[in-house]
Amino acid sequence: ENYSLSQNYPNPFNPLTVITYYIPVQTHVRIKVTDELGREVKILVNEIKTEGSFSAEFNGDGFSSGIYYYSIDAGNFIQTKKMILVK
């Protein structure tokens, strides 16, 4: 099977959203959140994961309303998606 990164839910969100992803083999996984200017604002996952489906929660408390991006880097798989925080 293939790596996958799902759209966060709910989106738009306030203040919590969940990001689901699938890893087909054991590998190091890093999921980070960046702001519109590309500045890293939060690391959600930074560890070795076994095969399977996982989820990570992002809490927008303390962050301004706006567009944020979340990216996964796992093995040779890199993908970025957009999410919207509305307060």
Side-chain angles (χ1 to χ4, degrees):
E1 296 196 29
N2 293 322
Y3 291 90
S4 68
L5 178 65
S6 299
Q7 184 65 49
N8 64 301
Y9 181 83
N11 189 33
F13 67 98
N14 179 23
L16 297 174
T17 191
V18 176
I19 297 164
T20 304
Y21 58 99
Y22 178 79
I23 305 299
V25 295
Q26 180 173 314
T27 191
H28 184 266
V29 177
R30 186 169 191 261
I31 298 178
K32 68 178 179 177
V33 177
T34 57
D35 64 14
E36 288 182 284
L37 300 176
R39 296 177 296 206
E40 188 176 285
V41 298
K42 183 83 173 172
I43 300 291
L44 301 178
V45 178
N46 191 19
E47 62 187 344
I48 294 174
K49 293 284 192 181
T50 58
E51 173 195 354
S53 289
F54 301 92
S55 61
E57 186 176 88
F58 176 64
N59 187 334
D61 279 345
F63 293 94
S64 301
S65 292
I67 296 172
Y68 292 86
Y69 298 91
Y70 58 100
S71 302
I72 187 170
D73 185 345
N76 60 355
F77 178 72
I78 298 172
Q79 189 173 30
T80 301
K81 294 198 178 223
K82 179 170 67 171
M83 60 183 170
I84 301 169
L85 173 59
V86 178
K87 291 195 171 184

